[in-house]
Amino acid sequence: MAQLSDRLQRLAPSATLAMSQKSSEMKAQGIDVINMSVGEPDFNTPDHIKEAAKKAIDENYSRYSPVPGYPDLRKAIVAKLKNENNLDYSVNEVLVSNGAKQSVCNTIMALVNPGDEVIIPAPYWVSYPQMAKLAGGTPVIVEAGFDQNFKMTPEQLEAAITPKTRLIILCSPSNPTGSVYSKEELKGLADVIKRHDDLFVLADEIYEHINYIGKHESIAQFEGMKERSIIVNGVSKAYAMTGWRIGYIAAPEWIVKGCNKLQGQYTSGPCSVSQKAAEFAYTQSQECVEQMRQAFERRRNLIVQLAKDIPGLEVNVPEGAFYLFPKCSSFYGKSNGDTVINNSSDLALYLLEKGHVATVGGDAFGDPECFRMSYATSDENIREAIRRIKDALAELK
Ligand SMILES: Cc1ncc(COP(=O)(O)O)c(C=O)c1O
Protein backbone atom coordinates (compact mmCIF):
# COMPACT_ATOMS: atom_id res chain seq x y z
CA MET A 1 0.00 0.00 0.00
CA ALA A 2 1.31 3.46 -0.92
CA GLN A 3 1.44 4.95 2.55
CA LEU A 4 3.96 6.96 4.54
CA SER A 5 5.30 5.66 7.84
CA ASP A 6 3.22 6.10 10.99
CA ARG A 7 5.95 8.43 12.20
CA LEU A 8 5.42 10.80 9.28
CA GLN A 9 1.68 10.55 9.43
CA ARG A 10 1.83 11.82 13.00
CA LEU A 11 3.96 14.80 11.94
CA ALA A 12 2.15 18.07 11.21
CA PRO A 13 3.49 20.27 8.42
CA SER A 14 4.99 23.64 9.42
CA ALA A 15 2.14 26.16 9.62
CA THR A 16 4.47 29.12 9.20
CA LEU A 17 5.98 27.71 6.01
CA ALA A 18 2.47 26.88 4.75
CA MET A 19 1.29 30.46 5.24
CA SER A 20 4.39 31.82 3.55
CA GLN A 21 3.76 29.53 0.59
CA LYS A 22 0.14 30.64 0.30
CA SER A 23 1.24 34.26 0.30
CA SER A 24 3.84 33.52 -2.43
CA GLU A 25 1.15 31.84 -4.54
CA MET A 26 -1.06 34.92 -4.26
CA LYS A 27 1.89 37.15 -5.16
CA ALA A 28 2.54 34.97 -8.23
CA GLN A 29 -1.06 35.70 -9.30
CA GLY A 30 -0.22 39.41 -9.23
CA ILE A 31 -1.84 40.18 -5.86
CA ASP A 32 0.04 42.73 -3.76
CA VAL A 33 0.48 40.70 -0.56
CA ILE A 34 2.52 41.96 2.38
CA ASN A 35 4.17 38.93 3.89
CA MET A 36 4.40 39.15 7.67
CA SER A 37 4.40 35.39 8.12
CA VAL A 38 8.10 34.73 7.68
CA GLY A 39 10.62 34.31 10.46
CA GLU A 40 13.71 35.84 8.96
CA PRO A 41 15.49 39.19 8.83
CA ASP A 42 14.79 41.15 5.66
CA PHE A 43 18.43 42.32 5.55
CA ASN A 44 21.05 40.84 3.26
CA THR A 45 24.01 39.05 4.79
CA PRO A 46 26.66 41.73 5.53
CA ASP A 47 29.24 42.16 2.76
CA HIS A 48 32.30 41.27 4.81
CA ILE A 49 30.75 37.87 5.62
CA LYS A 50 29.92 37.26 1.96
CA GLU A 51 33.53 38.10 1.04
CA ALA A 52 34.78 35.52 3.55
CA ALA A 53 32.60 32.89 1.86
CA LYS A 54 33.93 33.82 -1.60
CA LYS A 55 37.48 33.51 -0.28
CA ALA A 56 36.65 30.12 1.24
CA ILE A 57 35.49 28.89 -2.15
CA ASP A 58 38.71 30.10 -3.77
CA GLU A 59 40.72 28.43 -1.04
CA ASN A 60 38.95 25.16 -1.83
CA TYR A 61 36.87 24.69 1.28
CA SER A 62 34.93 22.29 -0.84
CA ARG A 63 35.39 18.94 0.85
CA TYR A 64 33.60 17.21 3.71
CA SER A 65 34.18 19.04 6.97
CA PRO A 66 34.59 17.16 10.27
CA VAL A 67 31.12 16.01 11.42
CA PRO A 68 30.95 18.42 14.42
CA GLY A 69 32.21 21.36 12.32
CA TYR A 70 35.66 22.87 11.67
CA PRO A 71 37.73 23.29 14.85
CA ASP A 72 38.30 26.99 13.99
CA LEU A 73 34.58 27.70 13.92
CA ARG A 74 34.05 25.79 17.15
CA LYS A 75 36.89 27.80 18.73
CA ALA A 76 35.22 31.00 17.55
CA ILE A 77 31.97 29.86 19.18
CA VAL A 78 33.79 29.01 22.42
CA ALA A 79 35.26 32.55 22.41
CA LYS A 80 31.82 34.04 21.71
CA LEU A 81 30.33 32.13 24.65
CA LYS A 82 33.08 33.41 26.92
CA ASN A 83 33.11 37.02 25.71
CA GLU A 84 29.39 37.61 25.32
CA ASN A 85 27.89 35.24 27.87
CA ASN A 86 30.73 34.67 30.33
CA LEU A 87 30.28 30.91 29.91
CA ASP A 88 33.21 28.49 29.84
CA TYR A 89 32.97 25.81 27.19
CA SER A 90 35.65 23.76 25.45
CA VAL A 91 35.72 22.96 21.73
CA ASN A 92 34.58 19.41 22.54
CA GLU A 93 31.42 20.82 24.08
CA VAL A 94 30.34 22.52 20.84
CA LEU A 95 28.75 20.90 17.78
CA VAL A 96 27.87 22.78 14.61
CA SER A 97 24.84 21.73 12.57
CA ASN A 98 22.71 22.69 9.57
CA GLY A 99 20.93 25.55 11.29
CA ALA A 100 19.61 25.84 14.83
CA LYS A 101 16.70 23.71 13.66
CA GLN A 102 18.92 20.67 13.31
CA SER A 103 20.58 21.55 16.62
CA VAL A 104 17.18 21.42 18.35
CA CYS A 105 16.20 18.20 16.61
CA ASN A 106 19.57 16.52 17.33
CA THR A 107 19.23 17.36 21.02
CA ILE A 108 15.70 16.00 21.28
CA MET A 109 16.65 12.83 19.40
CA ALA A 110 19.72 12.40 21.62
CA LEU A 111 17.91 12.76 24.95
CA VAL A 112 14.27 11.73 24.57
CA ASN A 113 13.17 8.10 24.72
CA PRO A 114 9.71 6.92 23.63
CA GLY A 115 7.31 7.74 26.45
CA ASP A 116 9.48 10.51 27.92
CA GLU A 117 7.79 13.85 28.54
CA VAL A 118 9.06 17.12 27.11
CA ILE A 119 7.79 20.28 28.79
CA ILE A 120 7.09 23.05 26.31
CA PRO A 121 5.63 26.39 27.43
CA ALA A 122 3.01 27.74 25.02
CA PRO A 123 3.15 29.84 22.92
CA TYR A 124 5.99 27.79 21.41
CA TRP A 125 7.99 27.62 18.22
CA VAL A 126 5.98 25.35 15.92
CA SER A 127 8.67 22.69 15.54
CA TYR A 128 9.25 21.80 19.22
CA PRO A 129 6.21 19.57 19.83
CA GLN A 130 6.55 17.94 16.41
CA MET A 131 10.20 17.11 17.02
CA ALA A 132 9.37 15.72 20.47
CA LYS A 133 6.75 13.48 18.84
CA LEU A 134 9.19 12.42 16.15
CA ALA A 135 11.43 11.12 18.95
CA GLY A 136 8.46 9.19 20.39
CA GLY A 137 8.19 11.62 23.29
CA THR A 138 5.09 13.26 24.70
CA PRO A 139 4.93 17.05 24.57
CA VAL A 140 3.55 18.47 27.83
CA ILE A 141 2.27 21.94 27.08
CA VAL A 142 2.30 24.55 29.84
CA GLU A 143 0.05 27.47 29.03
CA ALA A 144 1.74 30.82 29.48
CA GLY A 145 -0.61 33.24 27.78
CA PHE A 146 -0.97 36.96 27.15
CA ASP A 147 -1.85 37.82 30.75
CA GLN A 148 1.46 36.49 32.07
CA ASN A 149 3.48 38.10 29.31
CA PHE A 150 3.85 34.64 27.72
CA LYS A 151 6.32 33.42 30.35
CA MET A 152 6.13 30.18 32.36
CA THR A 153 6.42 30.60 36.13
CA PRO A 154 8.50 28.31 38.38
CA GLU A 155 5.24 27.12 39.98
CA GLN A 156 3.84 26.10 36.60
CA LEU A 157 7.05 24.29 35.75
CA GLU A 158 7.10 22.43 39.07
CA ALA A 159 3.47 21.36 38.60
CA ALA A 160 4.20 20.00 35.10
CA ILE A 161 7.17 17.83 36.11
CA THR A 162 6.54 14.09 36.53
CA PRO A 163 8.92 11.13 36.89
CA LYS A 164 8.74 10.84 33.10
CA THR A 165 9.94 14.41 32.39
CA ARG A 166 13.25 14.42 30.58
CA LEU A 167 13.55 17.79 28.86
CA ILE A 168 12.25 21.34 29.14
CA ILE A 169 12.41 23.62 26.12
CA LEU A 170 12.82 27.33 26.73
CA CYS A 171 13.02 29.98 24.03
CA SER A 172 14.18 33.45 25.01
CA PRO A 173 13.85 35.88 23.28
CA SER A 174 10.81 34.00 22.09
CA ASN A 175 9.38 33.14 18.74
CA PRO A 176 6.41 33.79 18.47
CA THR A 177 5.91 36.29 21.32
CA GLY A 178 9.11 38.34 21.61
CA SER A 179 9.08 37.81 25.40
CA VAL A 180 12.44 37.72 27.15
CA TYR A 181 13.04 35.96 30.48
CA SER A 182 14.93 38.13 32.99
CA LYS A 183 17.85 36.78 34.98
CA GLU A 184 15.63 36.42 38.06
CA GLU A 185 12.94 34.59 36.11
CA LEU A 186 15.51 32.17 34.68
CA LYS A 187 16.98 31.62 38.13
CA GLY A 188 13.51 30.70 39.42
CA LEU A 189 13.15 28.07 36.68
CA ALA A 190 16.72 26.81 37.21
CA ASP A 191 16.04 26.29 40.92
CA VAL A 192 13.09 24.05 40.04
CA ILE A 193 15.05 22.08 37.43
CA LYS A 194 17.93 21.44 39.85
CA ARG A 195 15.58 19.88 42.37
CA HIS A 196 14.91 17.00 39.94
CA ASP A 197 17.44 14.40 38.82
CA ASP A 198 17.91 13.61 35.17
CA LEU A 199 16.17 16.72 33.89
CA PHE A 200 17.64 18.84 31.11
CA VAL A 201 16.84 22.18 29.58
CA LEU A 202 17.18 23.06 25.93
CA ALA A 203 17.74 26.82 25.85
CA ASP A 204 16.96 28.08 22.37
CA GLU A 205 18.83 31.39 22.21
CA ILE A 206 18.72 31.93 18.45
CA TYR A 207 17.24 35.45 18.96
CA GLU A 208 19.90 36.39 21.55
CA HIS A 209 21.08 39.47 19.69
CA ILE A 210 17.64 40.83 18.89
CA ASN A 211 16.98 42.07 22.39
CA TYR A 212 15.56 45.46 23.39
CA ILE A 213 16.05 45.31 27.14
CA GLY A 214 19.79 45.00 27.38
CA LYS A 215 22.00 42.03 28.09
CA HIS A 216 21.02 38.52 27.11
CA GLU A 217 20.78 36.05 29.97
CA SER A 218 21.36 32.32 29.64
CA ILE A 219 19.97 29.72 32.03
CA ALA A 220 23.32 27.90 31.78
CA GLN A 221 24.95 30.63 33.90
CA PHE A 222 23.56 29.43 37.24
CA GLU A 223 25.46 27.12 39.55
CA GLY A 224 24.85 23.50 38.59
CA MET A 225 23.02 24.37 35.36
CA LYS A 226 25.77 23.99 32.75
CA GLU A 227 25.63 20.20 33.23
CA ARG A 228 21.91 20.27 32.53
CA SER A 229 21.75 22.84 29.73
CA ILE A 230 21.93 22.50 26.00
CA ILE A 231 22.32 25.97 24.53
CA VAL A 232 21.12 26.27 20.94
CA ASN A 233 22.20 29.26 18.89
CA GLY A 234 23.51 30.13 15.43
CA VAL A 235 24.10 32.82 12.86
CA SER A 236 20.69 32.81 11.13
CA LYS A 237 18.97 35.70 12.89
CA ALA A 238 21.81 37.82 14.31
CA TYR A 239 23.79 38.03 11.06
CA ALA A 240 20.91 37.72 8.56
CA MET A 241 22.22 34.32 7.45
CA THR A 242 19.10 32.14 7.43
CA GLY A 243 19.97 30.49 4.12
CA TRP A 244 23.52 29.58 5.10
CA ARG A 245 22.26 26.95 7.57
CA ILE A 246 24.68 27.20 10.47
CA GLY A 247 23.55 26.58 14.05
CA TYR A 248 25.23 24.97 17.05
CA ILE A 249 24.78 23.45 20.46
CA ALA A 250 26.96 24.10 23.49
CA ALA A 251 26.37 21.25 25.92
CA PRO A 252 28.00 18.63 28.15
CA GLU A 253 30.45 16.57 26.13
CA TRP A 254 28.46 13.32 26.37
CA ILE A 255 25.47 15.03 24.75
CA VAL A 256 27.68 16.58 22.06
CA LYS A 257 29.12 13.12 21.36
CA GLY A 258 25.61 11.68 21.05
CA CYS A 259 24.55 14.41 18.63
CA ASN A 260 27.78 13.89 16.72
CA LYS A 261 26.94 10.21 16.28
CA LEU A 262 23.47 11.09 15.05
CA GLN A 263 24.69 13.82 12.73
CA GLY A 264 27.38 11.49 11.37
CA GLN A 265 24.70 9.10 10.15
CA TYR A 266 22.21 11.72 9.08
CA THR A 267 23.75 14.77 7.44
CA SER A 268 27.54 14.81 8.10
CA GLY A 269 29.13 18.16 8.91
CA PRO A 270 27.35 21.29 7.65
CA CYS A 271 28.27 23.21 4.49
CA SER A 272 32.02 23.95 4.42
CA VAL A 273 31.72 27.43 2.87
CA SER A 274 28.96 28.48 5.28
CA GLN A 275 31.11 27.41 8.21
CA LYS A 276 33.95 29.67 7.08
CA ALA A 277 31.47 32.54 6.66
CA ALA A 278 30.08 31.91 10.16
CA GLU A 279 33.59 31.82 11.64
CA PHE A 280 34.19 35.23 10.08
CA ALA A 281 30.85 36.52 11.39
CA TYR A 282 31.83 35.58 14.94
CA THR A 283 35.41 36.83 14.84
CA GLN A 284 35.05 40.18 13.04
CA SER A 285 33.35 43.45 14.04
CA GLN A 286 29.90 42.98 15.57
CA GLU A 287 28.72 46.39 14.36
CA CYS A 288 26.39 44.89 11.74
CA VAL A 289 24.56 42.97 14.48
CA GLU A 290 23.94 46.15 16.45
CA GLN A 291 22.82 48.06 13.36
CA MET A 292 20.22 45.42 12.54
CA ARG A 293 19.13 45.25 16.18
CA GLN A 294 18.54 48.99 16.20
CA ALA A 295 16.48 48.77 13.01
CA PHE A 296 14.36 46.00 14.56
CA GLU A 297 13.87 48.05 17.70
CA ARG A 298 12.68 51.05 15.70
CA ARG A 299 10.23 48.82 13.84
CA ARG A 300 9.08 47.23 17.09
CA ASN A 301 8.24 50.67 18.43
CA LEU A 302 6.42 51.56 15.22
CA ILE A 303 4.32 48.41 14.98
CA VAL A 304 3.38 48.48 18.68
CA GLN A 305 2.27 52.09 18.43
CA LEU A 306 0.20 51.44 15.27
CA ALA A 307 -1.30 48.13 16.41
CA LYS A 308 -2.39 49.59 19.75
CA ASP A 309 -4.66 51.84 17.73
CA ILE A 310 -6.66 48.93 16.29
CA PRO A 311 -9.96 48.52 18.18
CA GLY A 312 -10.41 44.97 19.48
CA LEU A 313 -6.73 44.01 19.52
CA GLU A 314 -4.76 43.69 22.76
CA VAL A 315 -1.10 44.43 22.24
CA ASN A 316 1.82 43.84 24.59
CA VAL A 317 5.31 45.25 24.09
CA PRO A 318 7.71 42.52 22.92
CA GLU A 319 11.18 42.77 24.41
CA GLY A 320 13.07 40.87 21.72
CA ALA A 321 12.96 38.93 18.41
CA PHE A 322 10.93 40.48 15.57
CA TYR A 323 7.38 39.34 16.20
CA LEU A 324 4.22 40.92 17.53
CA PHE A 325 1.73 38.47 19.04
CA PRO A 326 -1.45 40.41 19.77
CA LYS A 327 -4.57 38.96 21.33
CA CYS A 328 -7.38 38.82 18.80
CA SER A 329 -10.00 36.62 20.48
CA SER A 330 -12.49 39.52 20.71
CA PHE A 331 -13.14 38.97 16.98
CA TYR A 332 -14.16 35.32 17.36
CA GLY A 333 -17.81 34.78 16.49
CA LYS A 334 -17.86 37.86 14.22
CA SER A 335 -18.31 37.74 10.46
CA ASN A 336 -18.03 39.64 7.21
CA GLY A 337 -20.64 38.38 4.75
CA ASP A 338 -20.25 34.60 4.56
CA THR A 339 -16.88 34.59 6.28
CA VAL A 340 -17.15 33.68 9.95
CA ILE A 341 -14.14 34.01 12.26
CA ASN A 342 -14.12 31.17 14.77
CA ASN A 343 -10.45 30.99 15.65
CA SER A 344 -7.01 32.45 14.99
CA SER A 345 -6.44 30.44 11.80
CA ASP A 346 -9.72 31.79 10.41
CA LEU A 347 -8.55 35.29 11.30
CA ALA A 348 -5.14 34.84 9.62
CA LEU A 349 -6.84 33.49 6.49
CA TYR A 350 -9.32 36.38 6.52
CA LEU A 351 -6.50 38.94 6.85
CA LEU A 352 -4.73 37.30 3.91
CA GLU A 353 -7.78 37.09 1.65
CA LYS A 354 -9.41 40.37 2.61
CA GLY A 355 -6.44 42.54 3.62
CA HIS A 356 -3.70 40.84 1.61
CA VAL A 357 -1.48 40.60 4.67
CA ALA A 358 0.04 37.21 5.53
CA THR A 359 0.22 36.49 9.26
CA VAL A 360 0.07 33.21 11.20
CA GLY A 361 -2.74 32.15 13.53
CA GLY A 362 -1.73 31.52 17.14
CA ASP A 363 -3.20 27.99 17.02
CA ALA A 364 -0.01 26.90 15.27
CA PHE A 365 2.01 28.11 18.27
CA GLY A 366 -0.29 26.60 20.88
CA ASP A 367 -2.08 29.87 21.70
CA PRO A 368 -5.53 30.10 20.12
CA GLU A 369 -6.17 33.66 21.35
CA CYS A 370 -3.45 35.47 19.41
CA PHE A 371 -1.83 35.72 15.99
CA ARG A 372 1.73 36.41 14.89
CA MET A 373 3.04 39.22 12.72
CA SER A 374 6.71 39.41 11.78
CA TYR A 375 7.93 42.99 11.58
CA ALA A 376 11.19 42.06 9.85
CA THR A 377 10.13 44.26 6.97
CA SER A 378 10.29 47.93 5.94
CA ASP A 379 8.61 50.76 7.88
CA GLU A 380 6.50 51.37 4.80
CA ASN A 381 5.29 47.75 4.74
CA ILE A 382 4.56 47.87 8.45
CA ARG A 383 2.45 51.02 8.08
CA GLU A 384 0.57 49.66 5.07
CA ALA A 385 0.03 46.21 6.63
CA ILE A 386 -1.39 47.68 9.83
CA ARG A 387 -3.67 49.99 7.84
CA ARG A 388 -5.00 47.00 5.88
CA ILE A 389 -5.43 44.87 9.01
CA LYS A 390 -7.26 47.69 10.75
CA ASP A 391 -9.66 48.12 7.81
CA ALA A 392 -10.28 44.38 7.44
CA LEU A 393 -10.95 43.95 11.17
CA ALA A 394 -13.29 46.96 11.20
CA GLU A 395 -15.51 45.12 8.71
CA LEU A 396 -16.07 42.21 11.09
CA LYS A 397 -19.47 42.57 12.76
C1 LIG B 1 12.85 29.75 17.95
C2 LIG B 1 13.60 29.27 16.77
N1 LIG B 1 14.51 28.30 16.95
C3 LIG B 1 15.22 27.83 15.90
C4 LIG B 1 15.02 28.32 14.63
C5 LIG B 1 15.81 27.72 13.51
O1 LIG B 1 16.88 28.51 13.11
P1 LIG B 1 17.77 28.10 11.88
O2 LIG B 1 17.29 28.88 10.72
O3 LIG B 1 19.18 28.47 12.29
O4 LIG B 1 17.64 26.64 11.65
C6 LIG B 1 14.09 29.32 14.41
C7 LIG B 1 13.83 29.82 13.04
O5 LIG B 1 12.80 30.32 12.72
C8 LIG B 1 13.36 29.81 15.51
O6 LIG B 1 12.45 30.77 15.35
Side-chain angles (χ1 to χ4, degrees):
M1 209 194 334
Q3 192 168 302
L4 291 169
S5 66
D6 294 348
R7 184 185 313 112
L8 275 204
Q9 290 193 49
R10 282 197 303 268
L11 193 71
S14 164
T16 45
L17 296 183
M19 203 59 180
S20 231
Q21 184 160 347
K22 204 168 165 63
S23 126
S24 301
E25 282 165 14
M26 286 174 70
K27 269 191 184 163
Q29 291 163 23
I31 302 169
D32 163 34
V33 176
I34 300 176
N35 190 355
M36 297 187 109
S37 67
V38 285
E40 66 179 338
D42 56 325
F43 299 109
N44 292 323
T45 302
D47 285 341
H48 68 283
I49 299 174
K50 292 195 285 200
E51 287 307 319
K54 290 177 199 166
K55 187 159 170 274
I57 294 174
D58 288 339
E59 289 177 356
N60 295 311
Y61 279 91
S62 49
R63 299 195 163 82
Y64 290 128
S65 76
V67 173
Y70 288 122
D72 282 349
L73 172 57
R74 293 156 76 207
K75 275 185 210 154
I77 293 167
V78 165
K80 175 252 176 270
L81 288 161
K82 181 66 190 167
N83 298 338
E84 294 188 349
N85 311 104
N86 197 25
L87 294 171
D88 290 301
Y89 282 92
S90 69
V91 169
N92 291 339
E93 293 171 312
V94 171
L95 176 107
V96 183
S97 302
N98 296 279
K101 201 170 214 171
Q102 189 185 13
S103 303
V104 174
C105 202
N106 277 350
T107 303
I108 293 173
M109 289 295 175
L111 288 180
V112 175
N113 274 317
D116 284 351
E117 293 176 356
V118 180
I119 295 180
I120 304 173
Y124 47 69
W125 183 48
V126 286
S127 297
Y128 300 143
Q130 298 304 324
M131 288 175 179
K133 282 192 210 165
L134 208 51
T138 307
V140 173
I141 307 300
V142 174
E143 282 176 29
F146 186 92
D147 297 336
Q148 57 190 86
N149 209 8
F150 304 114
K151 290 190 255 188
M152 175 171 67
T153 64
E155 294 72 29
Q156 285 181 299
L157 174 59
E158 184 71 71
I161 293 172
T162 77
K164 287 186 179 167
T165 311
R166 177 75 162 154
L167 186 65
I168 295 148
I169 304 186
L170 281 187
C171 182
S172 176
S174 154
N175 174 7
T177 67
S179 288
V180 178
Y181 284 89
S182 69
K183 186 170 177 180
E184 293 65 37
E185 287 164 340
L186 287 175
K187 173 138 193 342
L189 297 175
D191 288 343
V192 173
I193 292 167
K194 282 190 283 184
R195 281 203 288 275
H196 299 268
D197 290 335
D198 235 14
L199 202 54
F200 296 87
V201 59
L202 187 165
D204 186 340
E205 303 183 357
I206 191 76
Y207 293 96
E208 164 177 13
H209 292 97
I210 308 173
N211 178 323
Y212 314 124
I213 55 164
K215 194 174 156 289
H216 174 76
E217 301 291 349
S218 178
I219 196 162
Q221 71 184 283
F222 303 109
E223 172 91 41
M225 280 307 290
K226 209 186 127 194
E227 299 87 306
R228 291 162 171 275
S229 302
I230 301 92
I231 295 179
V232 170
N233 207 331
V235 292
S236 300
K237 317 285 176 174
Y239 300 91
M241 291 177 71
T242 46
W244 299 75
R245 310 310 302 131
I246 297 292
Y248 67 83
I249 58 167
E253 196 171 342
W254 65 274
I255 297 177
V256 165
K257 276 190 178 155
C259 291
N260 190 50
K261 185 156 84 168
L262 182 64
Q263 190 159 295
Q265 292 293 10
Y266 218 69
T267 59
S268 301
C271 169
S272 53
V273 175
S274 296
Q275 287 191 63
K276 293 309 286 180
E279 180 192 325
F280 208 71
Y282 282 126
T283 50
Q284 300 302 309
S285 162
Q286 302 300 298
E287 208 181 301
C288 57
V289 177
E290 175 57 16
Q291 277 169 2
M292 289 189 269
R293 193 203 66 79
Q294 284 178 12
F296 287 130
E297 183 165 6
R298 203 191 56 244
R299 295 160 175 187
R300 188 276 310 255
N301 294 343
L302 176 66
I303 198 166
V304 165
Q305 177 212 332
L306 296 173
K308 276 193 166 163
D309 231 24
I310 300 181
L313 275 194
E314 283 183 68
V315 176
N316 74 338
V317 182
E319 298 168 325
F322 38 67
Y323 307 102
L324 191 68
F325 201 64
K327 190 165 165 180
C328 55
S329 47
S330 71
F331 293 98
Y332 300 170
K334 295 192 173 180
S335 54
N336 180 357
D338 288 341
T339 309
V340 185
I341 308 298
N342 284 319
N343 51 49
S344 67
S345 304
D346 288 352
L347 191 88
L349 202 59
Y350 172 73
L351 293 177
L352 181 60
E353 285 170 353
K354 179 78 188 160
H356 298 164
V357 181
T359 61
V360 187
D363 301 302
F365 308 99
D367 188 329
E369 297 199 310
C370 302
F371 72 108
R372 191 190 80 172
M373 285 184 265
S374 161
Y375 54 84
T377 186
S378 66
D379 290 14
E380 191 190 342
N381 273 349
I382 292 171
R383 285 182 200 283
E384 176 62 13
I386 295 289
R387 192 191 62 72
R388 292 183 190 182
I389 290 172
K390 190 174 181 179
D391 288 352
L393 292 178
E395 286 187 47
L396 290 171
K397 303 289 175 216

